[in-house]
Every structure is written in C-alpha cells, then in structure tokens.
C-alpha cells in the first residue's frame, strides 16, 4: 500500500517538475521574444531618427544649441511638451532665446513630422537630443574645417593654438558656440590638448589671452592688411 502511494507521489513530483520546467521554458521564450521585439523597435526608431535628422540638418545649422546650457534648456522644453506645460524665463541668455525661438518656429514642426513617420519623442527625449547634437557637431566640424583648413601645426602649444585660432577664424564668430565646439574638437584631433574644460572656461581663457596680447594682434592684423597692397 505504502509502496503504491509512494509511487504515485513520485509520478506527481515528476509531472510537477516537468510542468514547472515547461513554464520556465515558456516564460524564457516569451522574454526572448519580447526582448527581440523591443530591440527591433529601438533599431527602427533609431534608424528613422538618424535618417531624418541627417536630412533636416542639411536645411538648418543651429550651432547655438552646442552650448551646454542651451541644449539643456532645449531638453527641458521637450519634457515640458510631454507634460503639456511651458514656462519662459525672462532672464534667458541671448542663445537660450535663440533656442526658444528655434524650438517653436522650427523644431516643433520637425518633431511632428518625425512622429508622423513613426518616431515617438515622449520617453526618448534624451535619445533625440543626443542624436541631433551629434550630427550637428559633425556637420559643424566638417563645415568649419573646410572653411579654415589645418591652421595649427603639429606639436604646437595651447597658447600658440590660441594665437592662430584668433588670427584665423572670422573675428565676429570666434566666441560663437559652434566655433568654440569646433576648436575644442580640433585641438583634440591634433593631440594638442585633451580638453576637459567646459566651453565656457575655454571661452574665458581665449578672451583673456586675446586681451593680454591685444596690441600684438593689432600689429599683425595691420601687417596682413599692408601685405595685400601691391
């Protein structure tokens, strides 16, 4: 009798074990399927984003967004959009006001088009901004590299690079965010400096250097003007 009961219990345990194993395998299969679908969705979203941002940035060049404070403000605008709120800070800087105007006059329309094509901004605000800024930075670097060429020799010091930068680039734009971002990246590529400075700190150092050598820059500028006279 006891042997029969024991045998039945063993069979039930075996059955329970098999059922448990089946459930584990089913759950694992469901998780794999869910993960694959999630990965495919992310890849699709990133593909749409890469393609459309690349095309869009052939029509606009908002380099003022490369200033960290400005693109952080833009990210807050994205979050406010998702929440249906927006507060304007009357003490905004000039570049932040540019970002505000750009967002409302341009970027909102582009985002609406993106969403129509299948990209969902809500929940992916940081992904959008990172992709946008990366492509903007690449375009800006390529454009300014083409404009100014390789103007700093290898093995130059940082101060020599400062002097050549101020002497070479458009004087009205030398402290513009796109130019500063280009210059920092350029120095990294040249192995002249591995910048851990913020763009704000580099701007202050450049201004200090220019002010300290103001007379010398004026003399060199005059020399260049006179050399153009035949």
């Amino acid at each position: 009798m006891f042997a029969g009961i024991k045998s039945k219990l063993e069979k039930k345990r075996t059955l329970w074990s098999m059922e448990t194993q089946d459930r584990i395998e089913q759950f694992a299969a469901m998780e794999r399927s869910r993960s694959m679908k999630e990965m495919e969705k992310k890849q699709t979203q990133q593909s749409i984003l890469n393609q459309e941002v690349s095309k869009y940035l052939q029509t606009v060049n908002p380099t003022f967004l490369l200033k960290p404070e400005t693109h952080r403000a833009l990210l807050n605008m994205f979050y406010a959009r998702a929440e249906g709120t927006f507060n304007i800070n009357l003490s905004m800087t000039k570049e932040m006001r540019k970002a505000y105007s750009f967002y409302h006059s341009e970027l909102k329309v582009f985002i609406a088009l993106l969403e129509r094509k299948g990209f969902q901004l809500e929940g992916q605000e940081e992904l959008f901004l990172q992709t946008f800024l990366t492509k903007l930075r690449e375009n800006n670097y390529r454009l300014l590299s083409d404009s100014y060429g390789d103007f700093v020799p290898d093995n130059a010091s940082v101060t020599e690079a400062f002097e050549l930068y101020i002497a070479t680039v458009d004087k009205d734009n030398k402290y513009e965010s796109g130019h500063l971002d280009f210059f920092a990246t350029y120095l990294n590529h040249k192995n002249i400096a591995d910048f851990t400075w913020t763009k704000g700190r580099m701007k202050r150092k450049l201004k200090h250097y220019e002010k300290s050598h103001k007379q010398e820059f004026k003399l060199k500028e005059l020399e260049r003007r006179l050399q153009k006279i035949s």
Side-chain angles (χ1 to χ4, degrees):
M1 179 178 176
F2 287 113
I5 294 173
K6 184 177 180 181
S7 176
K8 288 180 180 180
L9 285 173
E10 288 296 332
K11 288 180 180 179
K12 284 186 177 181
R13 288 195 186 101
T14 301
L15 180 61
W16 292 336
S17 177
M18 291 174 63
E19 289 175 346
T20 300
Q21 186 61 35
D22 286 343
R23 285 195 293 271
I24 291 172
E25 290 177 0
Q26 288 173 7
F27 178 76
M30 288 172 60
E31 283 296 295
R32 285 194 297 271
S33 177
R34 185 188 64 79
S35 296
M36 285 295 294
K37 288 179 181 178
E38 185 66 25
M39 185 174 67
E40 288 172 0
K41 181 181 177 181
K42 287 182 179 179
Q43 289 175 342
T44 299
Q45 294 278 291
Q46 187 69 67
S47 177
I48 293 171
L49 190 57
N50 289 343
Q51 183 178 359
E52 297 304 320
V53 165
S54 181
K55 289 193 293 185
Y56 179 63
L57 286 176
Q58 292 180 40
T59 69
V60 294
N61 188 36
T63 54
F64 51 86
L65 294 177
L66 294 175
K67 186 175 182 179
E69 295 86 346
T70 306
H71 63 240
R72 282 197 295 269
L74 185 63
L75 183 60
N76 288 333
M77 292 181 206
F78 295 157
Y79 290 143
R81 176 183 185 267
E83 296 168 1
T85 61
F86 188 80
N87 294 319
I88 183 169
N89 185 347
L90 296 179
S91 63
M92 286 193 298
T93 64
K94 181 180 179 181
E95 286 188 321
M96 284 189 180
R97 289 186 180 278
K98 281 185 180 180
Y100 175 82
S101 175
F102 176 73
Y103 172 73
H104 284 280
S105 64
E106 273 279 348
L107 204 53
K108 280 174 67 174
V109 181
F110 174 60
I111 290 170
L113 179 62
L114 266 181
E115 291 179 328
R116 181 176 293 180
K117 293 189 175 186
F119 179 80
Q120 181 182 351
L121 179 65
E122 187 172 351
Q124 299 190 102
E125 292 89 352
E126 291 187 18
L127 172 64
F128 173 85
L129 185 61
Q130 181 183 359
T131 302
F132 191 92
L133 292 177
T134 297
K135 189 61 182 176
L136 178 62
R137 183 168 283 118
E138 289 173 358
N139 288 358
N140 178 67
Y141 185 82
R142 184 169 56 252
L143 177 66
L144 295 183
S145 291
D146 290 344
S147 295
Y148 299 127
D150 189 10
F151 59 91
V152 177
D154 295 336
N155 302 317
S157 67
V158 172
T159 53
E160 288 171 336
F162 278 11
E163 179 181 350
L164 289 166
Y165 173 79
I166 293 169
T168 302
V169 304
D170 178 19
K171 64 180 181 179
D172 293 328
N173 287 314
K174 60 179 175 283
Y175 296 119
E176 179 264 336
S177 295
H179 276 66
L180 291 174
D181 190 87
F182 156 75
F183 187 46
T185 305
Y186 177 70
L187 293 185
N188 284 336
H189 287 177
K190 297 282 290 186
N191 293 318
I192 292 171
D194 181 14
F195 268 104
T196 55
W197 298 346
T198 63
K199 300 298 186 301
R201 186 181 179 193
M202 188 172 76
K203 182 177 180 179
R204 289 193 297 273
K205 284 184 173 291
L206 270 170
K207 283 191 170 184
H208 176 74
Y209 181 83
E210 184 178 24
K211 184 177 180 180
S212 300
H213 298 79
K214 186 176 181 180
Q215 183 64 18
E216 186 64 25
F217 280 121
K218 285 185 176 181
L219 288 171
K220 288 184 177 180
E221 183 179 352
L222 178 57
E223 283 180 345
R224 286 194 295 271
R225 282 162 47 198
L226 294 176
Q227 286 172 358
K228 293 178 182 178
I229 300 174
S230 56

